[in-house]
Amino acid sequence: DFMAAFNEIKPALGAAEEDLDALTRNGLIHYGAGFQQLITNGHSLIHQLKTSQRTDSLSVLLEGPPGTGKTALAAHIAQFSEFPFVKVISTTHMVGYGEISKCNLIRKVFDDAYKSPFSVIVLDDLERIIEYVHLGPRFSNPLLQTLLTLVRAPPPKGKKLLILATTSQLDVLESMDLAAQFNATITVPQLSKTAGDVEKVLEHMAVRYSSDTEAAGVLQALPLRIPIKTLQLVVEMAQAVGEQDGQAGLTEDAVRQALRTCGCDAER
Amino acid sequence: DFMAAFNEIKPALGAAEEDLDALTRNGLIHYGAGFQQLITNGHSLIHQLKTSQRTDSLSVLLEGPPGTGKTALAAHIAQFSEFPFVKVISTTHMVGYGEISKCNLIRKVFDDAYKSPFSVIVLDDLERIIEYVHLGPRFSNPLLQTLLTLVRAPPPKGKKLLILATTSQLDVLESMDLAAQFNATITVPQLSKTAGDVEKVLEHMAVRYSSDTEAAGVLQALPLRIPIKTLQLVVEMAQAVGEQDGQAGLTEDAVRQALRTCGCDAER
Amino acid sequence: DFMAAFNEIKPALGAAEEDLDALTRNGLIHYGAGFQQLITNGHSLIHQLKTSQRTDSLSVLLEGPPGTGKTALAAHIAQFSEFPFVKVISTTHMVGYGEISKCNLIRKVFDDAYKSPFSVIVLDDLERIIEYVHLGPRFSNPLLQTLLTLVRAPPPKGKKLLILATTSQLDVLESMDLAAQFNATITVPQLSKTAGDVEKVLEHMAVRYSSDTEAAGVLQALPLRIPIKTLQLVVEMAQAVGEQDGQAGLTEDAVRQALRTCGCDAER
Amino acid sequence: DFMAAFNEIKPALGAAEEDLDALTRNGLIHYGAGFQQLITNGHSLIHQLKTSQRTDSLSVLLEGPPGTGKTALAAHIAQFSEFPFVKVISTTHMVGYGEISKCNLIRKVFDDAYKSPFSVIVLDDLERIIEYVHLGPRFSNPLLQTLLTLVRAPPPKGKKLLILATTSQLDVLESMDLAAQFNATITVPQLSKTAGDVEKVLEHMAVRYSSDTEAAGVLQALPLRIPIKTLQLVVEMAQAVGEQDGQAGLTEDAVRQALRTCGCDAER
Amino acid sequence: DFMAAFNEIKPALGAAEEDLDALTRNGLIHYGAGFQQLITNGHSLIHQLKTSQRTDSLSVLLEGPPGTGKTALAAHIAQFSEFPFVKVISTTHMVGYGEISKCNLIRKVFDDAYKSPFSVIVLDDLERIIEYVHLGPRFSNPLLQTLLTLVRAPPPKGKKLLILATTSQLDVLESMDLAAQFNATITVPQLSKTAGDVEKVLEHMAVRYSSDTEAAGVLQALPLRIPIKTLQLVVEMAQAVGEQDGQAGLTEDAVRQALRTCGCDAER
Amino acid sequence: DFMAAFNEIKPALGAAEEDLDALTRNGLIHYGAGFQQLITNGHSLIHQLKTSQRTDSLSVLLEGPPGTGKTALAAHIAQFSEFPFVKVISTTHMVGYGEISKCNLIRKVFDDAYKSPFSVIVLDDLERIIEYVHLGPRFSNPLLQTLLTLVRAPPPKGKKLLILATTSQLDVLESMDLAAQFNATITVPQLSKTAGDVEKVLEHMAVRYSSDTEAAGVLQALPLRIPIKTLQLVVEMAQAVGEQDGQAGLTEDAVRQALRTCGCDAER
Ligand SMILES: Nc1ncnc2c1ncn2[C@@H]1O[C@H](COP(=O)(O)OP(=O)(O)OP(=O)(O)O)[C@@H](O)[C@H]1O
Ligand SMILES: Nc1ncnc2c1ncn2[C@@H]1O[C@H](COP(=O)(O)OP(=O)(O)OP(=O)(O)O)[C@@H](O)[C@H]1O
Ligand SMILES: Nc1ncnc2c1ncn2[C@@H]1O[C@H](COP(=O)(O)OP(=O)(O)OP(=O)(O)O)[C@@H](O)[C@H]1O
Ligand SMILES: Nc1ncnc2c1ncn2[C@@H]1O[C@H](COP(=O)(O)OP(=O)(O)OP(=O)(O)O)[C@@H](O)[C@H]1O
Ligand SMILES: Nc1ncnc2c1ncn2[C@@H]1O[C@H](COP(=O)(O)OP(=O)(O)OP(=O)(O)O)[C@@H](O)[C@H]1O
Ligand SMILES: Nc1ncnc2c1ncn2[C@@H]1O[C@H](COP(=O)(O)OP(=O)(O)OP(=O)(O)O)[C@@H](O)[C@H]1O
Ligand SMILES: [Mg+2]
Ligand SMILES: [Mg+2]
Ligand SMILES: [Mg+2]
Ligand SMILES: [Mg+2]
Ligand SMILES: [Mg+2]
Ligand SMILES: [Mg+2]
């Protein structure tokens, strides 16, 4: 059956480990119950795809505010699948390409995936791939149509395909009918200070404070909800400000200044 | 007469069986009276085209919400016709093509069909073929004009042509005058829980429940109206969630979670 | 004089009889006084063009709802003229052409017509030729400008040209100043039940009813105004539905179902 | 001086008589005081250009409702000037050309004109030349910019250039700043029934009436203001209708029907 | 120092005298205090550029209603500078060029100017150069971006560049941020009747009147504010009208008619 | 570690000193506390990038009104970093390039930077680079998408990249989601008269006044807030005006006139 075939073929093809490595360079912090739920959800979808008799492709959309870890999570699920074919599609390697070249590049990735019995395709930052900009709004219709078609196209008989996509502008994808093409949608949230997520991440980063009062002040200064990527940047920026001033550890003032510089002072 | 010619020519040409096979891979479930009416309707149109002295082409639009089985139904009618020439036009095999290439590809299919005494052309997902997107809105006018012309163009003298098209955005086609070009429009509805459609499909899928209470709960959890494709996906997703949790059969909780993940929790 | 020349030249060139034949394949039904007036009007314009000393071209726009017989009427007038050069311009043979190719094709037809002493050019479905679509709205400005110019361009000295155009969207042509370029506009109406048009057409089609009650019911079911093409389609569709049910003749029920399938149940 | 040079050079170059001939084929009818004023105005501008020491180019815009005789008047003034270089720019000979080809063609005419000591360029139907259409609105900006520049460009030292342009959409040209580039604007009006213009034209056309009552009725049926071109067409159309009915002369009924067919029944 | 270098280099390069000659063909009339102020202003900017240690380029925008003498004034200042490199950029010699060709032509002029120690570039009619039209509005963004960049680009070390631009649509340039790129803006006004400007210009033109009453009437007929170019045209046109009527000198009637023909009767 | 590597590599590559030299030609004036804070901020970000274990790129946006010294400040920070690779991207050297050429040029700079262990890229005037214009608005989406991608693309493993960008239209960048891609945003303000900034700059410029009263008057005439570049231009312009009038030093009148000519009289 499928599972037997799965275990046999894998070594022969080899996964695109490097791509995933770059995206997961900084590792995941297991910060709480919400995080655990995200992981379980992802694993369950992989189980479904592997075992189903009638579903030969699943498309999953990871959505949430900027910096909440959508890309890292997609990379984690892709790695967890242990599928022999894994490919990341992002605009980083398509700068300066025309619309049609991009369409064909994307199509090529799908054509390649169709040749492997089990494949994962990661579509990172969908709104960037379709060249969306709110002013106008403008976007590339050829790229959008390519995605609208490929996200729901069935793979050839006997092949299984997992599509993982990320976006921080779900409403945009909805207005283009692109979100509706996905079989599943998972929301990745910001860290919550009240749920203790923030403290767990600070702990995991091994932050040193110049005093206990400052430690309390730092936590006080941080907003109620903050994306994990922003928190990490703010801490580092505040540390640099402190070091410039000759401070031994993190201070509330430095954190407040860093939040301002990051444009994170007024909660948006 | 026509019917005699029809019976003679068929073996000589051979239908594009593979295309239809892919579209009807999972078979049709005979779920109730509404379904029967759709089938009868389709068969009657084929009868009209075969026997008429003055009508040499008929164009039929199958419309309804996403996932209600329009494509499967079109494939079924095409197969039922036993016409020697059957061709499916969909965007799956046109990804990355320019507008003009697509126009010519479509035109080519019609030119080929015109050579056979009896032909069926399936135009799957009209809004996708014309590259429509609500944001803007944008679409390809060359492709639209091509369809506006070909859907009502008469085949050469002595040829008969059936055009079957599908859409889940009838209002869009109406705003473009494309719907009006069709001779007939058939609406494909969602499954109705009250009419017993949902129960019949679950039965046909041979779903096992972890208990009788859960069986009742599952039915309770499902919305009043649900597309057949969505129902099948939700059941499978819930089964995978259950299996992850070590559950023997389907539970209400797993179904509710699957409905949420599919974006089907709040009836749209 | 002109009439003498006219009678001499005709045999030498030969009219494009095939094109007209296709358009008049199903013949005209002489359904009443309104129809007679249309015919007289057309003949009078031909007389004017043939005999005038100062008018060397006349352009006539046939407008009216879809399916009322505009194209058939244009073809009839063209045939009646007995002009040696007759050419039909429609999009059927231009599918997939670019705007500029279409412009040049149209221009070529006019250039050819200018070589014959008496010519008719039929421009079928003007809104389709200019690639108009209400959504936007969009259209081809090169094609529009080509028509705006050619419809009022004088033929070379000594040549006579009749331009017959059809449209079911007069308001669109007016908004583009295209309607205003024509010397004459003739409105082709729907059949009127009260004027007895519908009964005359049904009679001419030799429709059989399953009973006298059904005959009355059929007439009752038909709308007050219906395009001649729609009436013919509905009758045929209802006949097929009946035959499927094993009915000997036309029934009211079958007609009502056919009207629904044709989208003609609610008067638009 | 200039006038001496003018008289010498003329025979050497020869005017483009044929172009003007086509435009003035049907001759001018001297219908009244208003017409005389238009002629005087035109002649005075030619006098100014011929004699001025500092003005080396004059651009004149003839504007008015469709069919009032703007083109015929421009052709008349051009002929009256007796300038050795006369060229008409209209879209009739540019059908199917691209924007840039048209720009270069226009530029070429100006370059040629600059080589003659005295030149006239007629720009017929400016809104057509710039491919204007109200729906949108759309127009060719390259062509507009070409005209905006050339209409006010000074000819080379020692050359004199008269630019005569016509339009029936002055407001459009004003919205594009094109009207403002002209040195002078002359309005060409419709014929006025009250001023006796209409009767003079009918007289000049030698119209025969079937009776004196009909003669009065015809005048009664005609609108208060009518373009000269429309009046001529209506009369001819009514004559043909009458002849079809076997009428000896013009009747009020035939005129009313012709006005309707011409879309002239309700004063716009 | 700079001034020494300036005096040495000039003869070696030679200014583009012809271009300026064409623009100043008709000479400047010293019509009053306002005019004197404009001249002083221009001279002061040249002094600043010549003597400054830190400013190596100055960009000046001459703006005002059509026909007020902006182009003539720019040409005058350019000539007054006695800079060895002077170049006029206007659309007259770019008719039919594409956007990119125009951009490169403009860039070429700047590149050439950068090779001379002292240069003047005149950008005549900025709104025309960027192909602006109010309807839309439309304009060429490549040309706009070219100007936005070049107007504020610093010349190479040791070079001095004066940019003189003209426009009669300051508000347009402001809406495109182009006006803001200029270091200085000078407004060129219409002639004022109350300030005696009009009388001075008429005097300078040596106008003859048919009588003293007419002389007074002419002044009476002229509007309170009139562009100098319009005044000169109106006088000449009125003279021609008079001569046609056999009048010895200028009359009020002729002036009123000329104002009407010029579209100057109602003050805009 | 990184810092050791940093000190070793620098001499080998050599910074693009010339580019920075041009931008810092006129030097920085240390005008007050606000200025000092800007400098400290910039230095701290460089410290963070140099020492961080997990951050390999930082992107900083310098925003503020026109002429406040953003470009000069970016050049100063780039120089201060002492990174071996420094490159300035501005439109000055891209005039007349097409969108795609510009994209590839920008991409090339990033590719080059990725080869150096420590790099600085200055993106001067972001709104100009993306060809933005408020009227429309219009901009180049290919260029915008290029920046949206590159500003947040991670450099290759082991490389450090500092991106410094300037803009005077922060709101525009925000409406395009471009501002949000930057890790830090620094606001560069106008000089404040009340904070003594203006006086310090005048002092530093060694301005001479024609009298003490005039000195006071000059300060009085200047607006409360003025960009440093504008202040320097106004002073120079006023000096030239004075010299034309034979004035020894700066006067209030000359300053007021210069403010008017610079369009700085009414505070915007
Ligand atoms: N539990 C976690 N989940 C996600 N990311 C984590 C977690 N713990 C640490 N990280 C780190 O946080 C960062 C999340 O960044 P990532 O780029 O994945 O966010 P994103 O949502 O894709 O951002 P963007 O909206 O900008 O694309 C990564 O560096 C990742 O290694
Ligand atoms: N009675 C039925 N009618 C239609 N489809 C059925 C029926 N029974 C089972 N099916 C299955 O349900 C699925 C219907 O999917 P299909 O793609 O045809 O829907 P659709 O309306 O075309 O969807 P979409 O709007 O996404 O194009 C198919 O897998 C088909 O095999
Ligand atoms: N008296 C009649 N006038 C017109 N058509 C008639 C008449 N009698 C029969 N017919 C038939 O009716 C049909 C009219 O169709 P036709 O295509 O000419 O209509 P149309 O108005 O051009 O439609 P559309 O708006 O779709 O272009 C033709 O098949 C024609 O043969
Ligand atoms: N006095 C007249 N003035 C103008 N045209 C006259 C006069 N007398 C007769 N005509 C004839 O009237 C017709 C006027 O048509 P013409 O094409 O010049 O009008 P137009 O205003 O240019 O029309 P359009 O707006 O359609 O371009 C010509 O055939 C011309 O010969
Ligand atoms: N004092 C003056 N200032 C400016 N122009 C003058 C003056 N005296 C005479 N002239 C003449 O007036 C005319 C002004 O025309 P010019 O083309 O310079 O105006 P403009 O403002 O550039 O017009 P436009 O807005 O149409 O470009 C020129 O012929 C010039 O010789
Ligand atoms: N403290 C300072 N900060 C910034 N610029 C200074 C300072 N002191 C003097 N300057 C000078 O002021 C000028 C500032 O101009 P710069 O082009 O950097 O401003 P900008 O904000 O980039 O302007 P724009 O908005 O037009 O791009 C430079 O010439 C610079 O040498
Ligand atoms: Mg991401
Ligand atoms: Mg479908
Ligand atoms: Mg038709
Ligand atoms: Mg005309
Ligand atoms: Mg000018
Ligand atoms: Mg700057």
Side-chain angles (χ1 to χ4, degrees), chain D residues 171-193:
Chain D
D171 55 335
V172 166
L173 304 195
E174 277 170 351
S175 73
M176 291 171 170
D177 227 25
L178 183 50
Q181 308 305 322
F182 285 84
N183 299 131
T185 303
I186 296 175
T187 298
V188 184
Q190 300 187 45
L191 299 177
S192 158
K193 202 157 72 174

Side-chain angles (χ1 to χ4, degrees), chain B residues 17-191:
Chain B
E17 305 282 352
E18 326 77 57
D19 257 341
L20 293 183
D21 281 5
L23 289 176
T24 55
R25 209 184 276 181
N26 288 325
L28 295 193
I29 303 176
H30 289 251
Y31 59 75
F35 174 70
Q36 192 50 50
Q37 180 59 42
L38 292 174
I39 297 291
T40 314
N41 235 332
H43 295 183
S44 172
L45 289 162
I46 287 175
H47 178 72
Q48 178 188 353
L49 183 61
K50 278 185 183 165
T51 58
S52 167
Q53 303 293 329
R54 41 177 304 144
T55 302
D56 38 20
S57 80
L58 266 184
S59 51
V60 184
L61 183 57
L62 300 169
E63 72 89 12
T68 48
K70 302 171 296 292
T71 303
L73 203 69
H76 165 84
I77 299 174
Q79 263 177 334
F80 177 87
S81 76
E82 303 198 304
F83 280 11
F85 180 97
V86 179
K87 192 88 194 177
V88 180
I89 296 175
S90 90
T91 54
T92 309
H93 300 291
M94 297 196 272
V95 169
Y97 282 45
E99 289 173 316
I100 298 309
S101 305
K102 288 184 183 176
C103 288
N104 283 318
L105 194 144
I106 293 170
R107 183 204 166 128
K108 179 77 172 50
V109 171
F110 276 80
D111 281 348
D112 288 351
Y114 290 158
K115 288 174 195 146
S116 164
F118 298 90
S119 307
V120 186
I121 292 174
V122 177
L123 294 161
D124 200 26
D125 264 323
L126 283 180
E127 60 274 32
R128 197 57 47 242
I129 294 179
I130 59 173
E131 305 184 355
Y132 177 81
V133 52
H134 180 70
L135 194 69
R138 293 205 214 160
F139 59 92
S140 159
N141 202 19
L143 279 160
L144 173 62
Q145 298 297 331
T146 292
L147 293 184
L148 284 171
T149 293
L150 288 178
V151 163
R152 49 174 283 170
K157 210 163 185 174
K159 311 293 182 182
K160 297 248 170 172
L161 172 63
L162 175 67
I163 299 173
L164 296 168
T166 72
T167 183
S168 48
Q169 294 186 270
L170 182 62
D171 54 335
V172 167
L173 303 195
E174 278 170 352
S175 72
M176 290 171 171
D177 227 26
L178 183 49
Q181 307 304 322
F182 284 86
N183 300 130
T185 303
I186 296 176
T187 299
V188 184
Q190 301 187 44
L191 298 177

Side-chain angles (χ1 to χ4, degrees), chain B residues 54 152 181, chain C residues 23-31 35 38 64-73 124-125 127 166-168 188 191 201 228-229 232:
Chain B
R54 41 177 304 144
R152 49 174 283 170
Q181 307 304 322
Chain C
L23 289 176
T24 55
R25 210 184 276 180
N26 288 323
L28 295 193
I29 304 175
H30 290 250
Y31 59 75
F35 173 71
L38 291 174
T68 48
K70 303 172 294 295
T71 303
L73 203 68
D124 198 27
D125 264 323
E127 60 273 32
T166 72
T167 183
S168 48
V188 184
L191 299 177
V201 170
I228 191 162
K229 208 154 77 175
Q232 293 175 335

Side-chain angles (χ1 to χ4, degrees), chain C residues 95-116:
Chain C
V95 169
Y97 283 44
E99 289 173 316
I100 299 308
S101 305
K102 288 184 184 177
C103 288
N104 283 318
L105 194 144
I106 294 170
R107 183 205 167 127
K108 178 77 172 49
V109 172
F110 277 80
D111 282 348
D112 288 351
Y114 291 158
K115 288 174 195 146
S116 163

Side-chain angles (χ1 to χ4, degrees), chain D residues 65-226:
Chain D
T68 47
K70 303 172 295 293
T71 302
L73 202 68
H76 166 85
I77 299 175
Q79 265 177 332
F80 177 86
S81 76
E82 304 198 303
F83 281 11
F85 180 99
V86 180
K87 193 88 192 177
V88 180
I89 296 175
S90 90
T91 54
T92 309
H93 301 289
M94 297 196 271
V95 168
Y97 282 45
E99 288 173 316
I100 299 307
S101 305
K102 287 184 184 175
C103 288
N104 283 318
L105 193 145
I106 293 171
R107 183 205 166 127
K108 178 77 171 50
V109 171
F110 277 81
D111 281 348
D112 288 352
Y114 291 159
K115 287 174 196 145
S116 163
F118 299 89
S119 307
V120 186
I121 293 174
V122 177
L123 294 161
D124 198 27
D125 264 323
L126 282 179
E127 60 273 31
R128 197 56 48 241
I129 294 179
I130 58 173
E131 304 183 356
Y132 177 81
V133 52
H134 179 70
L135 194 69
R138 293 206 212 157
F139 57 93
S140 159
N141 201 19
L143 280 160
L144 173 62
Q145 297 298 330
T146 292
L147 294 185
L148 283 171
T149 293
L150 289 177
V151 164
R152 47 174 283 169
K157 212 165 180 169
K159 311 292 183 182
K160 298 249 169 172
L161 172 64
L162 176 67
I163 299 172
L164 296 169
T166 72
T167 184
S168 49
Q169 294 186 273
L170 182 62
D171 55 335
V172 166
L173 304 195
E174 277 170 351
S175 73
M176 291 171 170
D177 227 25
L178 183 50
Q181 308 305 322
F182 285 84
N183 299 131
T185 303
I186 296 175
T187 298
V188 184
Q190 300 187 45
L191 299 177
S192 158
K193 202 157 72 174
T194 40
D197 296 344
V198 169
E199 271 173 288
K200 256 203 206 116
V201 170
L202 291 174
E203 209 170 292
H204 188 278
M205 287 178 78
V207 174
R208 286 182 308 126
Y209 303 90
S210 61
S211 75
D212 280 7
T213 327
E214 291 297 334
V218 163
L219 207 61
Q220 174 73 20
L222 291 169
L224 280 179
R225 320 195 115 265
I226 187 167

Side-chain angles (χ1 to χ4, degrees), chain C residues 52 54-56 107 145 149, chain D residues 25 91 95 128 232 236:
Chain C
S52 166
R54 41 177 305 145
T55 302
D56 37 20
R107 183 205 167 127
Q145 298 298 330
T149 293
Chain D
R25 208 184 278 180
T91 54
V95 168
R128 197 56 48 241
Q232 293 174 334
E236 209 179 83

